[in-house]
């Protein structure tokens, strides 16, 4: 499988990316590079511009300044979208509410006429099984829980056999067991087809569990990039604060 | 400024949809789905509306004409007004309110909940996937509904003409005098106008849907704007087309 050149991950590089909405600067000249086939995690507090960054990477927004290259093409040109298969798992899932789960997952194949309906049905049930939702083809997205929607969205991205996959908070809203399943699948997919994976999250456990390299973001800037070990040893105050934030309030306020 | 930008965007969307026409066959399933949805949602309303429009037309003008000895013109008058003016305009306004609003709401909520973004990331063009089928279905359904409405309206008029004691024109002479005055061209005139209204309602409502920002309130705002703008454009275009077709 890995020998197929279409199935190899692509490189992503971002330089000096800036974006403002109504005068408020959200991305402040950030840059990083992701190697082909890498699992790269971007961490950062809520509102630091992670989702906005992903929307730029997949070409839904155009930057005010700076450059994004995927493979060897700048993202702004329409060709990139045709040349490379890019997929995104949205924070909210973004399933089409008027279609069933099965139709949602098979949408890419059905619209691009790559396979026969029977073939598509088979692929769809395969991918749903992968995310632990076997047999839910005929249900409507409105009947699913938030976590299930997210898993369907992941299945929909898997169907594309992408070369670059962007995950926006893939495990938020999931129970710990499903989160492990999804984390497994992210890593598996990366190993199986060598897809470049860019994961945005604020969950430290997930980040350190799957990342080959991590970037920590705050207020529209990348504070530091490095391997998980380097990040753990990083001395920057904001990064330390973010990594060491502790929810364990009960034992602190009630010393026994 | 904002208004002119919107008008420009509407034209661009219309042009893009036009360029996508060769893909219509590929999307035929969605066109038919939309088509039947339009029919299901509006057929009964069209029926009631046009029946009573025809009826009230005769009720108001019938006695006046009969008193002056112009009973021969009641059928023709209803025939012409119904097919050239009232059916196309009233049915298009009804469809803007019933179908256009639903289109704006559906596409608007898809915009707000990132479904359209998801389509784009899957390399599916939202104009081909969402706008083209809706425009085609509307352009197909509205003229048909108008033909239907014209006939129901004539019938409504006929029933009032025959049953109202101050008018008292039986069905047969009513339709015979109508046949003398109304030509096939008059019906075609109305049907053509409704085709144009279908395009304008479709493009305005789809554009407004895709232009939605904000949450549920944004969707509500979009729906109102889509319907109001559609109706205004129908009325303006009606004058322009009637003037052009008069030659
Ligand atoms: N379309 C927009 N218009 C105006 N402001 C926006 C827009 N999109 C994002 N923002 C602003 O950009 C900032 C970053 O938003 P973003 O969604 O990227 O945060 P995030 O890092 O993904 O947070 P979270 O972890 O909560 O998802 C926010 O302050 C938000 O208000
Ligand atoms: Mg986000």
């Amino acid at each position: 499988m890995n020998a197929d050149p279409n199935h190899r991950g692509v490189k992503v590089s971002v330089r000096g990316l800036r974006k403002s909405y109504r005068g408020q600067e959200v991305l402040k000249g950030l840059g990083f590079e992701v190697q082909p086939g890498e699992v790269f995690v971007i961490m950062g507090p809520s509102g630091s511009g992670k989702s906005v960054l992903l929307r730029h990477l997949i070409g839904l927004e155009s930057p005010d300044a700076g450059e994004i290259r995927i493979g060897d093409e700048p993202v702004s040109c329409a060709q990139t979208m045709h040349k490379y298969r890019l997929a995104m798992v949205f924070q909210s899932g973004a399933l089409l509410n008027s279609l069933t789960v099965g139709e949602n997952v098979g949408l890419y194949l059905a619209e691009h006429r790559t396979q026969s309906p029977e073939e598509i049905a088979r692929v769809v049930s395969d991918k749903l099984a992968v995310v632990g939702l076997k047999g839910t083809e005929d249900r409507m997205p409105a009947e699913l829980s938030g976590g299930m929607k997210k898993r369907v969205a992941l299945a929909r991205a898997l169907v594309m056999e992408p070369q670059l996959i962007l995950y926006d908070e893939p495990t938020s809203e999931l129970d710990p067991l499903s989160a492990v399943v999804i984390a497994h699948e992210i890593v598996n997919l990366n190993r199986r087809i060598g897809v470049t994976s860019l994961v945005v999250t604020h969950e430290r456990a997930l980040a350190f569990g799957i990342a080959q390299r991590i970037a920590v973001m705050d207020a529209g800037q990348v504070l530091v990039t490095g391997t998980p070990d380097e990040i753990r040893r990083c001395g920057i105050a904001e990064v330390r604060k973010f990594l060491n934030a502790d929810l364990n309030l009960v034992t602190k306020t009630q010393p026994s | 400024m904002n208004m002119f930008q919107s008008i420009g965007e509407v034209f661009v969307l219309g042009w893009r949809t036009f360029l996508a026409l060769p893909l219509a066959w590929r999307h035929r399933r969605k066109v038919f789905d939309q088509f039947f949805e339009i029919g299901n949602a509006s057929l009964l309303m069209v029926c009631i509306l046009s029946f009573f429009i025809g009826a009230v037309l005769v009720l108001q003008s019938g006695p006046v004409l009969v008193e002056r000895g112009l009973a021969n013109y009641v059928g023709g008058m209803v025939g012409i007004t119904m097919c050239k003016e009232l059916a196309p305009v009233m049915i298009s306004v009804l469809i803007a309110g019933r179908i256009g609003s639903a289109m704006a709401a559906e596409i608007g909520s898809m915009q707000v909940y990132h479904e359209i973004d998801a389509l784009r990331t899957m390399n599916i063009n939202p104009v081909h996937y969402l706008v083209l089928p809706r425009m085609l279905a509307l352009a197909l359904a509205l003229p048909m509904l108008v033909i239907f409405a014209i006939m129901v309206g004539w019938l409504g008029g006929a029933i009032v003409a025959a049953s109202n004691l101050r008018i008292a024109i039986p069905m047969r002479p009513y339709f015979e005098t109508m046949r003398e005055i109304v030509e096939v061209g008059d019906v075609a005139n109305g049907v053509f106008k409704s085709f144009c209204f279908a395009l304008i309602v479709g493009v305005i409502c789809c554009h407004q849907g895709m232009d939605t920002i904000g949450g549920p309130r944004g969707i509500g705002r979009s729906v109102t704007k889509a319907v109001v703008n559609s109706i205004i454009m129908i009325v303006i275009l009606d004058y322009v087309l009637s003037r052009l077709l008069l030659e």
Side-chain angles (χ1 to χ4, degrees), chain A residues 21-22 24 26 45-52 91 169 202:
Chain A
Y21 291 105
R22 281 181 249 107
Q24 179 209 1
V26 176
S46 191
S48 55
K50 305 184 299 293
S51 298
V52 172
Q91 191 163 6
E169 310 278 4
H202 41 220

